[in-house]
Every structure is written in C-alpha cells, then in structure tokens.
Amino acid sequence: MTVRALLLASSAALMLSPAAHAADAIVAAQPEPMEYVRVCDAFGVGYFYIPGTETCLKIGGYVRMDSTFGEEPYEGVDVGWAALSRGELEFDARNDTEYGTLRSYIELRADATREGSSSELYSAYISLAGVRAGYTDSRFDTWLNSAGAVINDDVIDYTGDRTNQISYVYGDEDKGFSALIGLEEGAGTYTAGGATVAYQKRNTPFFIGGAKYQDSWGGVFGIIGYDSQAEAIGTKVRVELAVTDKVKLFAMAGYQSDWDNTDGPNNSRRRNYYGDWLGDWAAWGGFTATLNEKSALNGQVAWEEDGTIATALNVEYKITKELLLLPELNYTKFHGLRGNGEAFGGTLRLQRDF
C-alpha cells in the first residue's frame, strides 16, 4: 500500500505541474504607441509641432566665415588678413491664441577671431497682438530695414546697440500702413572727455515712434527717437523703390538735434543714442540688382556731415540654395573727427544657412 500511494501521489504532482507553471507565466507589456513629430505648415516652411503641444517650433541659423583683407573700412587699419568665424542658432516658437499669434524668439551667437572667442544672447523677445517685449535690435534700426545689402553697411552708423524694449505696432508691419510706439532702455557706451559714458538711463526710458507704408512699388518709412539722458532726438526717413522686378533702390536720411553741445564729461560732447553718426545730418543710399536666379549685385554709399564718405560694392552668389559666397570691396574717405585719410580693402564671406 505504501508503494502504491507513492506512485499515485507522484502522478498527481506531474499532472498539476503545468497548471502551476501556467498560473505563474509572465505576460510581456505592450509597447506604447510611438508619437512622431508632425509638420506644422501654419506659419511657413520649417516648423514642426513640439510633441504633446500645439506650439510650432522652427530651428535655424547659419555658420559663417568672414575674411577681411587690406585696410578695414571703419578706422583704416591695415589688418593684412583677419578672419571671423561665427555660428548662430535661432529658435522661433509660435501658436495661435484668441488674441492672435503668440510668438517667442531666441537668437544665440558665438564668434571666434584672433583675439579669442565670445558668445552672447543676441535676441530674446515675446510678441502678441502687436506688442513686442524683450531684448533685440532697436526699432530705430529694424523699422527702416537697416541700411543696404552690404556687409559693412554701418561704417556711417545708423543705430545704437541692441536693447531691452517694449513696443506696440498698429497694422501689418510688412505691408500697407503701420504705426509704432515704444519704450527702449538704450545700450552701449562711448568715450568722451577721457571717460566712458553709458547711453542708458535706468530711471527714465527712451521714447520711440514711427510710421510706414509698403506696397509692391516700394515703401516710405519714418522713425523718431528721444534720448531722455541726452535730451535730444534722432530721426530717419527712408524711401524704397522697385524700379523693375530686378532692380531696387533705397535712400535714407538721418538728423539728430543738439550735436554741438558741451554737456559731456569735461565739457565734451554728450552723444545721442538715436544719433550714432558724426554731425547733425547723415545719408545712405544704395541698390540691389538681381542678375539671375543665383546672383545679385549690391552697392551702398553713405555720408555724414562731419565729412566721412563710405562706399561698398559686392556680388552675392548662391553656390547652392543654402551656401552663399559674397565678395565685397570697401572704400572709405575719412574726414573730421575720424582724421584725414583713406581706406581700401575687402571682405570675403562664406555662409551656410540652415
């Protein structure tokens, strides 16, 4: 009976064993569905939806190398050969709201020269319903499309440094009629009377206003800024004309008040943030002539009342859609506070956009 009982027990155990293992079996978890990045075409080419949101993001920028030969056009120093390499990243985030398009923009830049390397926050601002707030180029610059399509367009300077600001634009800034009002902090420094003086005045903002009208034939632009520290104004007017679909001209004039003052350190001249040229008056003019689908010719002449004249001429050639070659020649005739003399040189730019 003992042996028989042992055999029956063993048989029962073998019969129950698969059931026991089946009860302990591990079931593999199903993989979560993959979320692919979706293209966003609501704001143009290059945007995509940030996963899990309705915000569209575009990442772009460029890599550039400038080689300057001969005498640089700003002070006439013979640099021989001087190189500048730059990398820039741009982040543009947009989404629709009940108030219109909400946009935030960040621009980061890093440069390398023979003196070393540097990096900076070049722009960071938010815009919604015509209001823009943040840090970027002064409206005194961008409202009038800067100057010409040349590399060294600011030998006769037309604007102050980038600044913290807040502004409101009525209308479409890119077509038809639009108007601007805003406040700016001012930025940058200048040397006067043996001292370094800052443009910004922290307890009082600078005031700026402008208007413009743009159409297929060109446009008319006006801007005025009041420097509350210098207690002076600067104003510019610009006219653009599309002579044909391939030839475009522009002319711009600037005026600043109270140039001949002695309100700076040690009875020196106090500078106006909205008058970066030397003298009461300054003027800029130029052209762009499209030669074919890959190349264009650009030129600019600039003058300031103190007597300096600066010229530039370049050929813009697209090696590929994203790769640009831009050789430029510069000639400057110095006079007045800049001294007397001439400078002749050139810059060769190679730039890859993405």
Side-chain angles (χ1 to χ4, degrees), residues 21-338:
H21 283 293
D24 295 337
I26 299 175
V27 178
Q30 294 294 321
E32 294 184 3
M34 184 178 296
E35 184 174 0
Y36 294 94
V37 174
R38 295 179 295 150
V39 173
C40 172
D41 55 8
F43 305 105
V45 178
Y47 289 88
F48 61 91
Y49 286 101
I50 299 175
T53 75
E54 292 302 314
T55 299
C56 299
L57 177 66
K58 181 177 181 179
I59 301 174
Y62 63 81
V63 176
R64 169 193 296 173
M65 181 176 182
D66 286 349
S67 296
T68 300
F69 301 92
E71 297 163 329
E72 54 85 23
Y74 295 87
E75 297 178 350
V77 177
D78 189 349
V79 297
W81 173 59
L84 180 147
S85 295
R86 172 176 294 168
E88 181 169 296
L89 282 175
E90 302 162 8
F91 303 88
D92 190 348
R94 308 187 190 198
N95 63 279
D96 288 324
T97 73
E98 60 270 35
Y99 304 105
T101 299
L102 172 61
R103 182 188 185 196
S104 56
Y105 179 81
I106 298 174
E107 189 174 346
L108 306 174
R109 177 176 292 185
D111 292 340
T113 66
R114 62 176 63 160
E115 283 79 26
S117 60
S118 62
S119 59
E120 63 177 325
L121 175 66
Y122 199 78
S123 290
Y125 61 82
I126 300 168
S127 63
L128 176 67
V131 176
R132 187 171 79 179
Y135 176 79
T136 189
D137 294 307
S138 169
R139 286 289 200 176
F140 198 70
D141 172 12
T142 58
W143 187 254
L144 277 73
N145 298 331
S146 300
V150 296
I151 297 173
N152 299 296
D153 66 340
D154 59 350
V155 177
I156 308 298
D157 212 350
Y158 49 83
T159 186
D161 289 351
R162 294 176 303 282
T163 177
N164 286 310
Q165 59 189 264
I166 182 168
S167 62
Y168 171 74
V169 173
Y170 168 81
D172 189 332
E173 197 172 331
D174 298 318
K175 62 182 179 181
F177 174 80
S178 56
L180 159 78
I181 56 171
L183 303 175
E184 297 188 333
E185 184 180 42
T189 61
Y190 63 94
T191 301
T196 299
V197 184
Y199 278 110
Q200 64 245 65
K201 187 174 183 180
R202 300 188 183 280
N203 59 348
T204 307
F206 299 168
F207 301 91
I208 194 164
K212 60 183 174 181
Y213 181 83
Q214 298 178 93
D215 208 334
S216 58
W217 56 265
V220 179
F221 312 73
I223 193 81
I224 185 169
Y226 176 71
D227 183 330
S228 57
Q229 177 170 279
E231 298 181 341
I233 66 166
T235 184
K236 293 186 297 184
V237 175
R238 179 181 175 118
V239 176
E240 294 181 357
L241 180 62
V243 180
T244 69
D245 60 344
K246 294 185 177 181
V247 178
K248 297 180 180 179
L249 307 176
F250 87 91
M252 183 169 69
Y255 169 78
Q256 62 174 312
S257 67
D258 199 25
W259 166 254
D260 293 316
N261 69 78
T262 56
D263 299 328
N266 301 317
N267 295 321
S268 62
R269 178 179 286 109
R270 183 170 59 186
R271 298 298 303 273
N272 174 7
Y273 176 73
Y274 296 113
D276 221 28
W277 53 90
L278 303 182
D280 292 326
W281 296 91
W284 302 258
F287 70 91
T288 292
T290 301
L291 304 177
N292 53 51
E293 62 180 11
K294 281 199 165 190
S295 60
L297 184 67
N298 304 297
Q300 177 179 294
V301 178
W303 163 87
E304 61 189 0
E305 190 180 17
D306 195 46
T308 296
I309 298 174
T311 64
L313 183 69
N314 69 40
V315 176
E316 182 179 331
Y317 179 71
K318 295 181 180 179
I319 300 173
T320 68
K321 184 179 179 180
E322 299 85 8
L323 184 62
L324 175 69
L325 181 67
L326 187 65
E328 177 170 301
L329 294 176
N330 298 99
Y331 173 75
T332 306
K333 175 67 175 176
F334 298 104
H335 186 73
L337 295 175
R338 297 177 185 260

